[in-house]
Amino acid sequence: MSLQEIVIQQLFNGLLLGSFYGLVALGYSMVYGIIKLLNFAHADIYMVGGFCSLTILTFFGKTFIGNRWLGIVISMLITMIIVGLLGVIIERIAYKPLRNAPRLSLLITALGVSMILYNSVMVITAGEYRAYKTGLGYEGFSIGSVFVTHTQAILIVAAVALMLVLHLFITRTMYGKAMRAISMDLDCCRLMGVNVNKIIALTFFIGSMLAASAGMMAGVYYGSLHFFMGFVIGIKAFTSAVIGGIGVIPGAMLGGLLLGLLESFGTQIPFIGSEWKDVFSFSILILILIFKPTGLLGKKESERM
Amino acid sequence: MILEVKDLTLRFGGLTAVNKVSFGIEEGSIESLIGPNGAGKTSLFNCLNGFYRAQEGDILFEGKSVMKLKPHKITALGMARTFQNLRLFKNLTVMENVMSGMHCRTSAGVAGAILRPPSQKAEEKRIRDVAMECMDFVGILDKKDRLAKNLPYGDQRRVEWARALATQPKLLLLDEPAAGLNYDEKMQLIELIRRIRNERKITVFLIEHDMGLVMKVSEKIFVLDYGVKIAEGTAQEVQNNPRVIEAYLGKEEENAV
Amino acid sequence: MKDKQTGLQTVVDKKAKKIDNPFVELIDKFYVLFDNKRVRYSVLAALLAVLLYLPMITSMYFMEVMTNVWFHVVVCLGLNIIVGFAGLLSLGYAAFFAVGAYTTGILILHYGVSFWLTLPVSVLMAIIAGLAIGGPTLKLRSDYLAIVTLGFGEITRLAARNLDITGRATGLVGIERPTLFGMAMVKINHFYYAFLILAVLAIFISYRLQDSRLGRAWKCIREDEDAAEAMGINVVAARLLAFIIGSVFGALAGSFMAIKMTAISPESFLFTQSVMILLAVVLGGMGKIPGVVLGAFAVVVFPEVFRGIGKYRMLIFGAVLLVLMIYRPQGLWPERHT
């Protein structure tokens, strides 16, 4: 393949990968922005979304809906709602009681939730990979000698669309405004009559919804699911959120795409290859946190003493 | 001059909290910083003790520039402070709170902790002795084993002072030490400030809103408004300064001494 | 109670005496009892005697479990210094005993170094690792620090899995066991005693650290790090010290584990390991030494006793963490109330 072709290929890979990262990163960013919690369990929501959608899609496959695009879209919508609700339930049970507890306790709780989620799935799937069968084929189109399947193209478009919708939601609606306000001063919002609990629940709902959709897309794209798939993507998504500036929504999207591209092009660097791919990403995370913890678009926090 | 501030400027994004402020504190004096709410007084204190890094200007403590130093180094050099909103170690006892002040005056490390050589034991004794002495000085010795969070407000304030004194400072920065105190407690505070200067030879620099207290205790007063120093002088001079009066619009304080 | 000055009766005192729980009084009685030096030392001496005698009367299986328990006591106390004393959430602790284990393994296997000489190198590597990981990251907020330590833990594991010198995915096999004063360390009993000694040392050092200038500094930092800084405590240095001491504990435990197992692989340093150690510390009560020891026991013994739970193990652990944090975040070990 010529250099140009390699570039285009990696561009697509990077954008696709980056879309997944971005969608999951959004959830991290939103939740962190609103209650200052790094939700470890978020990555496992992504995984649960994948499995949930597979279950539904397989069911559809046996009905008239089929498991091609129609089935996929409906399955995605249902999954998003179910997993979104799961996110809300988790918040209610595990995080709400600890809203005023020290940070350490919250983090440990999130860890506990994460463990419950992926271990439950592990038990159910007996730790094996599950194939993600869809009725889709491998038809696609070519740009030069680079082949892009319709699936890949649609996934990218879908991911970007979701992110745009979210962006509009945050900036144009009252709910979005409330979310941003709460991230600035929770107690003040309470005093101003904002139903803080509802907004927080909404934040978790949306974040989980997006992660679930990413989980499903990953399943469709990679063709398989595994109970531990959330782990690595969790760190990568968190890296994306940090690159873009944690708590800043457009930053999460930007960070995700950036990381996806970096990773794709990074695998082409002879020394790094795919074995060290993860180490590469983790290193980026650490470097960013050390040198520019506020990220690209982040605001500098100054505490009042 | 034990403390000299030269053209200090602190900016938060678009807001200039401290604007080219210059002044000097005489060694062994009791001086105050006043100004309406939001004038930048606490921000200035935060610059002095290292929590904020000012963008321009310089701070000289005993002739050495301390502007770029971290707070713990500044305290070790001899400048200690108390906080406007009381930052005690709530779940520790009074004794433990005050003992923390001696950390920068001692040096036992990991080896000392594990092996406990005689030098470490002597150091521990010294820490306890100094802490007891400071608690006694402010009048809180009888409560030394109680948890800080269980004390009444006035006593908690005393613990803050004892803790700051335990660092054996040369200059003590008090951030609104009278906030929340009743009349009696304020009289005791005035006494304490004088004793700190007279008996322990510590220079005192305080931020305060209670004008009566400030006038009674300060030898020199600086006035800040919107981050700018608008006046300095004795109590009389400042009281009659038209700019100062204008800045305050002649507000009356309640528990004024 | 009458106020001496004003003669006013305070009613508040009645409320101050917290309610009824008979356990609280019982626990306080125990604490007071153990305050007495003679009681403390005689109980501990008796306990130690029992522990030393155990190998003679129990099965090999029991010895294996107990050795594992002492190993966990050491690593849990190491993590306790980082999490419990200094209040830093570290999720990659397994990396430290990987460092120790691999250092010892590589030196013995590839360079024929005697085990006992690998120990100081192991400590050195631990210090370097602690500095490398802690140095740039300790100024980060606790949430970020958690993820970063997780990242470092994974980087360590992946590096071990990908590098030749660490034996790639199979790890190092056939590590020779050392001799001590001419006697080869072969039987499980030998390792039982070795780890017991390490555990006792770890407990001793932990107590000494807790009750020292450094221990107090950590306590203050946990309460309010800005106030601590203002009082002259070098917060960053204190935290770094905690990190390094913790890593040394881990590395030494790892070194001994390497010769006990005679083989190490990246699988022993999974994230799940780090989580289990954290669980033990949290279970016992972060910072409380007896609690952490208890936690180490629980984390090792529980899955042994309930063998049937096998694959549900981590699931239950996760649930325990959750319930603990919501209902009893201070851990199971009871606190003093007087």
Side-chain angles (χ1 to χ4, degrees):
Chain A
M1 286 221 248
S2 72
L3 184 66
Q4 190 195 39
E5 284 156 357
I6 294 179
V7 168
I8 296 181
Q9 180 75 71
Q10 294 310 330
L11 202 65
F12 263 109
N13 288 348
L15 283 176
L16 192 54
L17 207 54
S19 319
F20 292 159
Y21 293 163
L23 282 170
V24 181
L26 277 168
Y28 273 121
S29 229
M30 283 166 57
V31 167
Y32 186 84
I34 208 168
I35 54 174
K36 303 283 182 290
L37 163 72
L38 271 182
N39 187 6
F40 273 104
H42 188 64
D44 299 288
I45 296 274
Y46 156 91
M47 178 267 298
V48 168
F51 278 99
C52 184
S53 65
L54 177 62
T55 314
I56 297 177
L57 193 63
T58 314
F59 172 70
F60 280 168
K62 304 184 187 135
T63 68
F64 73 94
I65 302 180
N67 58 4
R68 306 200 92 230
W69 284 112
L70 180 63
I72 288 180
V73 170
I74 300 183
S75 169
M76 171 124 95
L77 288 169
I78 299 181
T79 301
M80 280 163 75
I81 295 179
I82 294 179
V83 178
L85 287 172
L86 176 65
V88 173
I89 294 174
I90 290 176
E91 194 270 328
R92 252 323 115 99
I93 300 179
Y95 303 145
K96 183 156 175 285
L98 288 154
R99 224 172 259 167
N100 291 317
R103 279 283 186 55
L104 218 58
S105 304
L106 260 174
L107 285 170
I108 295 178
T109 306
L111 196 59
V113 172
S114 166
M115 283 171 69
I116 293 178
L117 284 175
Y118 76 76
N119 280 294
S120 305
V121 174
M122 177 187 91
V123 168
I124 296 174
T125 63
E128 291 156 359
Y129 281 84
R130 281 287 160 90
Y132 206 106
K133 291 201 192 70
T134 64
L136 299 176
Y138 290 102
E139 314 96 33
F141 53 92
S142 302
I143 302 180
S145 61
V146 172
F147 187 69
V148 178
T149 63
H150 285 143
T151 314
Q152 287 172 311
I154 294 182
L155 286 177
I156 294 182
V157 170
V160 174
L162 277 171
M163 292 195 247
L164 279 173
V165 167
L166 178 74
H167 183 74
L168 287 171
F169 182 81
I170 298 286
T171 47
R172 298 285 167 87
T173 67
M174 276 306 283
Y175 287 116
K177 218 173 256 167
M179 278 161 70
R180 281 179 290 152
I182 294 179
S183 75
M184 287 181 218
D185 191 333
L186 191 141
D187 290 315
C188 185
C189 282
R190 249 200 212 117
L191 292 171
M192 288 293 119
V194 174
N195 188 340
V196 166
N197 290 334
K198 199 165 82 170
I199 304 288
I200 292 181
L202 184 65
T203 309
F204 271 85
F205 183 74
I206 297 176
S208 306
M209 230 172 62
L210 293 171
S213 70
M216 174 174 193
M217 289 192 226
V220 169
Y221 181 61
Y222 290 112
S224 76
L225 296 172
H226 185 253
F227 73 91
F228 210 53
M229 68 196 242
F231 184 71
V232 174
I233 213 193
I235 302 195
K236 305 242 176 112
F238 175 69
T239 307
S240 311
V242 168
I243 290 177
I246 196 131
V248 177
I249 308 276
M253 305 186 218
L254 182 66
L257 291 171
L258 214 58
L259 185 67
L261 289 169
L262 270 171
E263 238 185 58
S264 289
F265 284 105
T267 59
Q268 298 303 308
I269 301 173
F271 176 59
I272 296 184
S274 47
E275 275 180 343
W276 295 92
K277 186 173 54 127
D278 292 344
V279 176
F280 181 64
S281 303
F282 293 166
S283 308
I284 294 181
L285 170 67
I286 291 169
L287 287 170
I288 298 246
L289 279 180
I290 294 170
F291 293 110
K292 201 156 191 348
T294 48
L296 292 171
L297 301 177
K299 8 170 209 215
K300 203 160 200 307
E301 266 190 44
S302 42
E303 281 175 62
R304 297 236 76 207
M305 291 288 158
Chain B
M1 290 275 162
I2 192 172
L3 181 72
E4 270 185 271
V5 174
K6 295 180 174 166
D7 288 328
L8 198 68
T9 307
L10 174 73
R11 278 185 278 267
F12 290 115
L15 175 69
T16 306
V18 177
N19 200 342
K20 282 197 158 15
V21 172
S22 301
F23 61 90
I25 310 253
E26 296 274 352
E27 188 164 348
S29 65
I30 301 177
E31 306 188 21
S32 299
L33 179 67
I34 64 174
N37 277 318
K41 309 187 293 293
T42 298
S43 299
L44 179 62
F45 258 31
N46 284 333
C47 287
L48 291 180
N49 100 303
F51 274 128
Y52 291 164
R53 177 82 70 83
Q55 279 85 9
E56 291 166 26
D58 205 359
I59 302 172
L60 298 171
F61 181 64
E62 292 193 315
K64 280 197 309 255
S65 172
V66 296
M67 215 176 79
K68 297 212 164 86
L69 296 181
K70 281 174 111 198
H72 72 265
K73 280 223 164 74
I74 295 181
T75 306
L77 283 175
M79 185 175 1
R81 79 171 281 182
T82 62
F83 290 91
Q84 185 177 12
N85 49 352
L86 261 200
R87 293 182 74 153
L88 291 180
F89 302 125
K90 294 220 163 75
N91 291 304
L92 304 188
T93 62
V94 171
M95 179 76 175
E96 287 171 324
N97 266 276
V98 180
M99 274 167 54
S100 72
M102 275 297 278
H103 187 94
C104 58
R105 301 287 163 227
T106 50
S107 61
V110 179
I114 298 174
L115 302 169
R116 298 208 175 153
S119 56
Q120 189 258 11
K121 293 204 172 125
E123 203 179 68
E124 287 288 303
K125 180 167 184 309
R126 195 160 66 89
I127 293 176
R128 296 208 133 78
D129 290 342
V130 171
M132 303 277 258
E133 197 267 310
C134 288
M135 287 189 281
D136 190 34
F137 188 84
V138 306
I140 196 130
L141 187 58
D142 51 333
K143 304 204 166 81
K144 73 173 174 43
D145 291 317
R146 294 185 58 177
L147 288 182
K149 64 182 177 186
N150 291 337
L151 293 177
Y153 187 77
D155 285 341
Q156 284 183 338
R157 278 244 168 253
R158 285 178 208 261
V159 176
E160 268 248 324
W161 302 330
R163 194 175 63 167
L165 285 175
T167 67
Q168 302 185 318
K170 298 180 186 141
L171 168 64
L172 184 60
L173 303 174
L174 299 173
D175 195 345
E176 295 197 35
L181 297 183
N182 61 34
Y183 181 85
D184 275 324
E185 289 166 330
K186 286 189 189 187
M187 296 310 297
Q188 286 168 8
L189 174 61
I190 294 179
E191 249 312 292
L192 188 67
I193 293 178
R194 291 194 178 130
R195 281 179 58 212
I196 288 176
R197 193 272 301 275
N198 298 338
E199 291 175 32
R200 300 177 85 113
K201 308 277 182 276
I202 297 175
T203 310
V204 179
F205 185 35
L206 57 137
I207 294 178
E208 227 344 291
H209 274 295
D210 182 337
M211 286 308 129
L213 190 146
V214 168
M215 302 298 168
K216 277 225 172 89
V217 93
S218 325
E219 283 143 26
K220 195 165 179 202
I221 302 177
F222 306 98
V223 188
L224 217 59
D225 191 23
Y226 288 110
V228 178
K229 184 179 83 170
I230 58 173
E232 81 174 69
T234 65
Q236 293 289 38
E237 293 163 8
V238 162
Q239 253 174 342
N240 299 321
N241 185 316
R243 275 193 78 180
V244 174
I245 297 172
E246 189 191 315
Y248 272 102
L249 289 175
K251 276 192 280 231
E252 298 242 277
E253 302 286 317
E254 281 183 10
N255 274 328
V257 182
Chain C
M1 201 178 97
K2 269 198 170 189
D3 185 331
K4 286 189 189 123
Q5 271 191 316
T6 59
L8 289 173
Q9 192 88 354
T10 36
V11 187
V12 179
D13 257 34
K14 286 255 173 86
K15 282 197 212 150
K17 186 158 197 189
K18 252 169 183 209
I19 307 163
D20 355 285
N21 193 349
F23 272 138
V24 171
E25 292 189 33
L26 190 67
I27 285 163
D28 275 354
K29 285 212 180 82
F30 266 106
Y31 267 110
V32 171
L33 187 67
F34 271 84
D35 267 351
N36 181 332
K37 266 198 174 162
R38 287 172 78 193
V39 171
R40 224 180 17 220
Y41 290 153
S42 28
V43 169
L44 285 175
L47 192 61
L48 202 59
V50 169
L51 290 172
L52 288 172
Y53 190 62
L54 270 183
M56 321 216 186
I57 52 171
T58 55
S59 67
M60 262 187 73
Y61 168 72
F62 192 78
M63 281 292 105
E64 275 287 346
V65 172
M66 284 311 285
T67 308
N68 200 10
V69 165
W70 300 131
F71 167 74
H72 274 86
V73 166
V74 177
V75 290
C76 291
L77 283 174
L79 184 63
N80 180 50
I81 291 177
I82 298 175
V83 173
F85 287 171
L88 306 164
L89 184 57
S90 169
L91 292 180
Y93 191 71
F96 294 134
F97 65 83
V99 165
Y102 273 108
T103 302
T104 293
I106 291 173
L107 285 177
I108 292 182
L109 215 51
H110 296 312
Y111 297 99
V113 180
S114 141
F115 169 69
W116 305 102
L117 285 179
T118 66
L119 289 181
V121 182
S122 191
V123 169
L124 185 65
M125 294 302 284
I127 295 177
I128 294 176
L131 278 170
I133 298 178
T137 61
L138 284 178
K139 55 184 165 129
L140 296 175
R141 315 173 63 143
S142 53
D143 350 27
Y144 290 8
L145 183 67
I147 298 263
V148 168
T149 48
L150 181 71
F152 266 116
E154 281 302 291
I155 289 180
T156 309
R157 187 179 66 85
L158 289 170
R161 205 179 60 180
N162 291 337
L163 291 172
D164 284 325
I165 195 172
T166 52
R168 302 205 138 225
T170 37
L172 301 174
V173 184
I175 302 172
E176 270 168 49
R177 285 189 171 158
T179 56
L180 176 61
F181 308 127
M183 177 189 75
M185 289 182 78
V186 168
K187 287 160 53 174
I188 183 67
N189 291 4
H190 300 148
F191 288 106
Y192 170 83
Y193 286 123
F195 278 104
L196 177 58
I197 292 173
L198 283 179
V200 168
L201 269 174
I203 295 175
F204 174 73
I205 293 179
S206 294
Y207 269 114
R208 280 282 160 106
L209 283 172
Q210 188 181 55
D211 191 22
S212 72
R213 174 178 170 262
L214 187 54
R216 286 193 301 265
W218 286 330
K219 259 176 126 173
C220 293
I221 294 173
R222 266 194 344 253
E223 282 290 312
D224 186 338
E225 69 177 89
D226 293 319
E229 177 83 28
M231 287 306 119
I233 297 175
N234 187 340
V235 173
V236 173
R239 284 182 161 160
L240 199 55
L241 220 49
F243 221 72
I244 292 176
I245 297 173
S247 76
V248 169
F249 272 49
L252 283 175
S255 289
F256 274 90
M257 216 20 149
I259 49 160
K260 174 182 177 285
M261 309 291 285
T262 69
I264 27 171
S265 80
E267 297 311 299
S268 336
F269 315 111
L270 290 172
F271 175 60
T272 32
Q273 264 290 67
S274 295
V275 170
M276 278 192 32
I277 303 173
L278 180 65
L279 174 63
V281 173
V282 169
L283 194 65
M286 290 183 278
K288 298 183 209 152
I289 297 168
V292 171
V293 171
L294 196 69
F297 258 93
V299 153
V300 172
V301 169
F302 193 74
E304 291 295 326
V305 169
F306 296 98
R307 270 270 147 136
I309 65 168
K311 54 181 178 169
Y312 294 99
R313 191 174 58 142
M314 294 310 280
L315 180 58
I316 295 182
F317 279 179
V320 169
L321 262 182
L322 190 61
V323 167
L324 211 58
M325 279 297 113
I326 297 178
Y327 294 108
R328 205 181 152 87
Q330 67 268 49
L332 294 179
W333 191 263
E335 272 161 19
R336 270 190 110 122
H337 282 92
T338 43

